[in-house]
Amino acid sequence: MSLKEQITEDMKTAMRAKDAERLGTIRLLLSAMKQKEVDERIELDDVAVVAIVDKLIKQRKDSITAFEQAARQDLADKEKAEMAVLVGYLPARMSAAEVTAAVQAIVADLGAKGPGDMGKVMGAVKAQLAGKADMGQVSAAVKAALAG
């Protein structure tokens, strides 16, 4: 079963269970997926769905930070609940050691020497690790590999 089909099934399950919060989050995700399909006239595969989930999680993290700074804990808690539902659709993430090893292998393959090659390395890393690792962590590992 594809990730897209799993999300649709989870929506039906949430409807039957009358779980309004989970249902709202899943509908939000399905809406973002449908928007991407309509805008780009494509059929989403699992990699594209994971990218959308990642984007929505990043938005939630940013919102949580803003709400906590504004002393709106009620809204921050709502965003955290949505984020918890979204995280369930991500594949298992790579550990920091695995990310570092993968980045170093890619740097060696490309023959990258210094910070000037960061764009080239990040392009290759994104293609290989998309959806498998946190891109903030990957970026830090690339910087460290190219600096040292």
Side-chain angles (χ1 to χ4, degrees), residues 51-111:
I52 291 171
V53 172
D54 264 336
K55 179 181 172 188
L56 291 174
I57 288 173
K58 184 179 184 311
Q59 288 173 348
R60 297 295 164 283
K61 286 179 182 176
D62 293 344
S63 296
I64 290 168
T65 303
F67 288 142
E68 286 177 346
Q69 288 175 350
R72 290 297 308 264
Q73 195 57 43
D74 55 330
L75 295 175
D77 291 342
K78 182 177 183 289
E79 294 291 320
K80 286 177 185 175
E82 287 181 2
M83 194 168 83
V85 172
L86 293 170
V87 166
Y89 295 112
L90 292 177
R93 296 296 197 172
M94 296 171 71
S95 69
E98 292 171 326
V99 169
T100 303
V103 166
Q104 288 174 345
I106 292 170
V107 167
D109 287 347
L110 294 175

Side-chain angles (χ1 to χ4, degrees), residues 110 114-125 142 146:
L110 294 175
D117 295 326
M118 179 135 182
K120 178 170 64 171
V121 173
M122 280 303 289
V125 168
V142 169
L146 291 177

Side-chain angles (χ1 to χ4, degrees), residues 22 24 53 76 135 143-144:
R22 183 171 177 79
V53 172
M135 282 301 153
K143 286 178 187 169

